[in-house]
Amino acid sequence: MELKAGDLVTRYSYNGDIIFRITSVDGRNVELAGEELRLAADAPIEDLQKVDESERISHEKNLHEKEERVYRLFRQEARLMKERNEHETSEGYKEDTSYFEMRGRVLHLDGDAYYLSKCTALYERLGIPVYGVHIPEKEMPEQISSLIEMVRPDILVITGHDAYISSRGAENDIKSYKHSKVFGRTVREARKMVPQLDQLIIFAGACQSYFEWLIKAGSNFASAPERVNIHALDPVYIAAKISLTPFMDRISALHLIRHTLTGQDGLGGLETRGVLRRGSPWKDEARTLSGEKKK
C-alpha cells in the first residue's frame, strides 16, 4: 500500500477507533495527527489502513453535524448574553442607546496549520478578532514574547498536538508527554510578560496533555484532566466565550466547557473574568470596533 502525507488512515492495532491524517512518511514509519482530535501518534506502515472515499464522506458528514450542534448552542447563548448586555447598557430605557463593543482579541498559536485554518474560520464565523500563527510546538517558547508584544492580546491560545505516552512513565511525569513540557514553558514565558490571570487569559494544551502542569505554569484553562483526547475546535469555543463575556462577569470552568465538544474530562480551569467592554455613544453609520454593525 502506497501512503503519502495528507492521506487519511486508521490503525489496525486500535480497531480503527480514530481517523488520522498522515503528516510525514519516513521509510516504514509514519507520523500521524488526529483528523478531528488534537492527538499526535506514530505507527509502522503495516499497522495502517487507508480510509476509502465513502468512509471519508461519512466521517466528514458526522463531524460537520456535531460541530454545527455545538455552534448553534453557542450562538443561542451568545444571543441571550447580547440581549442582557443591551438592556444593561441602556439601563432599561426603551429609547435607542448607541453603543459599541470591544471584544477580546485572541492570539492563537497552533502547531498544526490545518487545524489553525479551521480554527480561524470558526473565530471569524463567531465574530471574534483573532491573530493566528502556525508555529511548531517546540519553537513556541522562543517566539511567544515577541508575539504578545506585537499583538497585545486579551486571550492567548497555545495548542497543537500532544499525547501521553505510558511507556515513558507515569501520568505525573512530564517526560511522559509529547509536547506538554513545551506548552508549559510557553505559558511561563507569557506570564513573564503579563503575570495577572485576568489581564491575559491563557488556554494551553491538546490531546492527553498534562493538565495540572499547565495550570501550575500559569494557564487559566488547560487540557486534559482525565488525559483524554480533545476536539480540534475546543480551544476556539473557550476563547470565544471569554471574548464575548463582559469584563465585570466571572465565568466558571464548568459553565464554560458546556460549549465544547469534549466536556469536563478533557478540559478544565479556573474561575475567570470575561474581557468584553462596551462603550457609548457611537454614530449610526459607524461600525463596532469588533467589526460588526451596531445594534
Side-chain angles (χ1 to χ4, degrees):
M1 177 177 57
E2 183 179 351
L3 294 173
K4 63 183 184 301
D7 286 345
L8 299 182
V9 296
T10 58
R11 295 177 294 181
Y12 288 113
S13 57
Y14 287 83
N15 297 315
D17 60 339
I18 297 174
I19 293 181
F20 288 92
R21 176 169 30 91
I22 294 177
T23 56
S24 66
V25 179
D26 183 11
R28 308 304 296 176
N29 295 314
V30 180
E31 295 289 330
L32 306 169
E35 177 66 3
E36 63 178 284
L37 302 174
R38 289 188 172 275
L39 179 66
D42 55 68
I45 201 166
E46 295 81 9
D47 190 34
L48 301 178
Q49 179 180 21
K50 191 171 183 178
V51 173
D52 62 33
E53 185 65 13
S54 62
E55 186 179 359
R56 182 190 66 79
I57 293 172
S58 176
H59 167 76
E60 289 182 352
K61 179 182 178 181
N62 292 336
L63 176 59
H64 178 72
E65 290 174 352
K66 182 165 60 174
E67 292 174 356
E68 284 298 308
R69 285 196 298 270
V70 174
Y71 174 78
R72 287 193 296 269
L73 176 65
F74 187 98
R75 294 301 300 175
Q76 181 181 17
E77 177 151 341
R79 282 194 296 270
L80 293 174
M81 188 185 309
K82 185 174 180 63
E83 290 172 3
R84 188 195 71 180
N85 292 344
E86 289 171 353
H87 179 80
E88 292 176 353
T89 301
S90 64
E91 297 181 343
Y93 292 109
K94 292 183 179 180
E95 61 266 22
D96 289 339
T97 302
S98 63
Y99 72 96
F100 59 94
E101 293 181 346
M102 291 183 65
R103 298 178 177 181
R105 179 181 296 276
V106 178
L107 171 58
H108 183 117
L109 275 60
D110 209 313
D112 188 304
Y114 170 73
Y115 283 167
L116 178 63
S117 65
K118 291 189 65 172
C119 288
T120 52
L122 182 55
Y123 282 120
E124 292 171 2
R125 192 178 180 193
L126 294 169
I128 307 301
V130 61
Y131 189 92
V133 186
H134 170 229
I135 306 177
E137 289 86 350
K138 293 180 180 179
E139 297 178 15
M140 290 179 178
E142 286 70 40
Q143 298 196 39
I144 186 59
S145 296
S146 60
L147 285 168
I148 289 176
E149 187 173 4
M150 178 180 71
V151 179
R152 299 174 64 86
D154 304 291
I155 304 159
L156 171 62
V157 173
I158 302 164
T159 189
H161 294 292
D162 205 357
Y164 165 60
I165 305 169
S166 58
S167 60
R168 293 185 183 178
E171 285 188 1
N172 61 355
D173 185 350
I174 189 60
K175 295 178 182 177
S176 302
Y177 297 84
K178 189 173 183 68
H179 287 135
S180 289
K181 186 174 182 178
V182 293
F183 288 151
R185 286 179 53 211
T186 308
V187 172
R188 285 194 291 272
E189 291 300 318
R191 284 292 172 222
K192 290 179 183 178
M193 302 284 292
V194 188
Q196 296 82 7
L197 292 178
D198 284 331
Q199 290 189 11
L200 178 64
I201 315 300
I202 300 178
F203 171 90
C207 281
Q208 303 176 13
S209 290
Y210 192 167
F211 172 77
E212 296 81 6
W213 176 272
L214 298 175
I215 292 294
K216 289 178 181 178
S219 296
N220 299 73
F221 300 94
S223 61
E226 298 298 328
R227 308 304 190 263
V228 299
N229 299 326
I230 72 167
H231 193 276
L233 298 178
D234 280 336
V236 176
Y237 287 113
I238 288 179
K241 174 67 174 177
I242 297 165
S243 176
L244 294 172
T245 300
F247 79 101
M248 293 297 289
D249 293 351
R250 291 192 174 274
I251 314 166
S252 73
L254 288 177
H255 180 75
L256 188 65
I257 62 179
R258 286 175 52 203
H259 302 289
T260 65
L261 289 147
T262 302
Q264 63 184 14
D265 285 350
L267 302 156
L270 307 172
E271 182 184 43
T272 299
R273 288 186 184 275
V275 298
L276 178 137
R277 292 177 182 267
R278 300 185 299 272
S280 183
W282 199 252
K283 293 182 179 180
D284 288 343
E285 68 273 14
R287 298 173 69 87
T288 69
L289 297 186
S290 62
E292 291 189 347
K293 291 183 179 179
K294 183 194 74 66
K295 173 67 178 179

